[in-house]
Amino acid sequence: MGLQIGIVGLPNVGKSTLFNALTRAGAATAPYPFTTIDPNRGVAAVPDRRLEALAQLVGPERVTPATVEFVDIAGLVRGSHRGEGLGNRFLAHIREVDAVAVVARCFADPDVAHVDGSVDPVRDLEVLDLELVLADLQTVQRRLEKARAAAKARPKEAREEVALLEDLEARLQRGERADGWAREGEAQARLARDLFLLTAKPRLYVANVGEEDLPDGGPLAAKVAEVAEREGAPCVVLCAQLEADLADWPPDEAAEYRAALGLTRSGLEELVWAGYRTLDLITFFTIAGGREVRAWSVRRGATAPEAAGRVHTDMEKGFIRAEVIGWQELVEAGGWSAAREQGLVRTEGRDYVVQDGDVCLFRFRR
């Protein structure tokens, strides 16, 4: 599927540290701007207790979780829409991802300079949004110029696009993001996708705090949470440096240390799940002859053939039917054979919409 979440923010907010903690990919980190020039890419496993329960039931040779791909993107500065800093490359990298995790610095550290001289996450978020809005405005104005030219030759075909673009241009000029506009209709959503608008992408917020401010994050994190709540976006509070350090600890010792800080689970787990929801993904499971229990991700609303295609393209092409049972029903039944004997395994056709937590066996023509 290749769905990606871009980790974005101003320089020195902890993006690469967070990326390292998520993926253990060893991206370079340093306390100066533009440590990240080319984007680092890595995959994070989606923690899922349902997968653990199925693995305990089956006892397979392999257990494979669903994953989310994260991209660590260079820091944005004022003037990025004009190419300042690494502006043009930064913006191009954001256009390629499916959603963004906006990291806001909520910690004070005299050894890590802030590009604006002081820590103010709300101001930083406003700077980021302004640069993204201005970049989108340039994109829309270029497309509008072409649409108006086309309207002279094909007025009926181009009239709707011109009207939509003019409406969007006016909103961007008022400083509004494109996400609200894109939700107003299918024509708007399609045009936003065609233009790869930066401010139309789904987003979540990450308040990166100091360890001393855990578990709630303190007053600066509360301000970020207020921004997220107004927008209806998820907000995760974590300490990226702590998570990076604990990633190398034995799991039981890391859990004990988190508990001492008042944390019920890893901030990384919270972030991965928030990213999963932001991408509007669900999970289904397969059991390959007792050898492997695997979690797969699909967009919400995917049909059985589309889900089969995640396992192998031949399964989608030759799809016949799917045998389906909910994961909890399967665990309670004690296994696939027992569930089948109890009449719990359903047969579903091409139109079946896969549900979160389904365990599927796909039948297909080879």
Side-chain angles (χ1 to χ4, degrees):
M1 182 172 288
L3 294 177
Q4 299 178 336
I5 298 176
I7 302 175
V8 304
L10 272 59
N12 293 348
V13 299
K15 300 185 305 301
S16 294
T17 302
L18 178 59
F19 175 83
N20 284 347
L22 278 166
T23 66
R24 300 189 184 185
T29 59
Y32 50 84
F34 307 126
T35 306
T36 303
I37 298 176
D38 295 317
N40 299 296
R41 303 172 189 274
V43 173
V46 179
D48 197 326
R49 291 175 176 81
R50 299 172 299 180
L51 181 63
E52 296 172 7
L54 290 171
Q56 187 174 5
L57 173 70
V58 175
E61 298 172 9
R62 295 189 305 277
V63 179
T64 306
T67 59
V68 174
E69 184 172 353
F70 285 88
V71 183
D72 178 23
I73 299 174
L76 174 149
V77 295
R78 295 180 191 272
S80 287
H81 73 284
R82 299 191 302 270
E84 297 290 336
L86 299 172
N88 293 330
R89 295 173 70 179
F90 169 91
L91 297 170
H93 295 149
I94 297 180
R95 293 189 195 284
E96 296 171 0
V97 301
D98 302 282
V100 291
V102 181
V103 181
R105 177 172 171 173
C106 300
F107 65 90
D109 187 337
D111 295 326
V112 182
H114 191 289
V115 290
D116 283 331
S118 62
V119 178
D120 184 340
V122 174
R123 177 203 59 207
D124 293 351
L125 295 177
E126 290 172 349
V127 169
L128 186 142
D129 268 343
L130 177 60
E131 292 302 323
L132 297 184
V133 165
L134 291 173
D136 277 349
L137 181 59
Q138 292 177 349
T139 299
V140 169
Q141 288 175 335
R142 287 194 295 268
R143 177 68 169 257
L144 185 54
E145 184 177 350
K146 294 179 181 179
R148 284 171 174 160
K152 295 178 182 178
R154 298 179 289 102
K156 289 185 179 180
E157 292 86 347
R159 185 179 300 139
E160 180 184 9
E161 181 173 318
V162 169
L164 289 170
L165 290 169
E166 287 177 342
D167 179 29
L168 177 56
E169 179 189 36
R171 298 191 194 199
L172 292 169
Q173 287 174 331
R174 294 196 297 267
E176 298 177 23
R177 298 207 308 252
D179 49 357
W181 176 86
R183 289 193 293 267
E184 291 182 0
E186 181 51 41
Q188 289 91 331
R190 183 173 59 251
L191 193 52
R193 290 192 297 269
D194 291 345
L195 294 173
F196 296 96
L197 294 179
L198 303 170
T199 62
K201 293 183 181 295
R203 66 167 58 184
L204 63 97
Y205 290 92
V206 180
N208 186 15
V209 306
E211 183 177 334
E212 66 278 4
D213 290 320
L214 293 172
D216 63 340
L220 294 180
K223 292 182 180 180
V224 177
E226 289 174 6
V227 172
E229 185 176 7
R230 287 198 299 270
E231 299 177 7
C235 180
V236 177
V237 176
L238 54 75
C239 175
Q241 187 59 61
L242 173 67
E243 296 293 348
D245 293 341
L246 293 183
D248 295 324
W249 286 30
D252 55 341
E253 293 182 18
E256 184 178 347
Y257 191 85
R258 288 191 182 94
L261 294 173
L263 300 172
T264 56
R265 66 173 177 170
S266 163
L268 301 181
E269 290 186 23
E270 300 280 0
L271 175 55
V272 172
W273 269 114
Y276 209 66
R277 293 191 298 270
T278 301
L279 290 171
D280 202 20
L281 298 175
I282 63 169
T283 301
F284 72 93
F285 304 94
T286 58
I287 300 173
R291 297 185 304 276
E292 180 183 31
V293 174
R294 181 161 183 167
W296 303 85
S297 59
V298 290
R299 290 276 198 182
R300 189 178 305 278
T303 61
E306 290 171 333
R310 288 284 291 121
V311 180
H312 197 288
T313 54
D314 288 347
M315 289 188 176
E316 182 173 9
K317 293 175 183 177
F319 180 87
I320 299 174
R321 65 183 183 275
E323 297 178 13
V324 182
I325 184 174
W327 74 274
Q328 192 164 9
E329 281 185 301
L330 181 59
V331 170
E332 291 173 352
W336 190 269
S337 297
R340 191 191 298 276
E341 291 173 1
Q342 297 172 40
L344 299 175
V345 178
R346 311 185 309 275
T347 298
E348 303 287 359
R350 302 186 65 86
D351 295 334
Y352 176 69
V353 176
V354 174
Q355 301 300 302
D356 188 39
D358 278 350
V359 182
C360 301
L361 174 61
F362 299 110
R363 302 294 185 182
F364 65 104
R365 297 182 183 88
R366 298 180 184 275

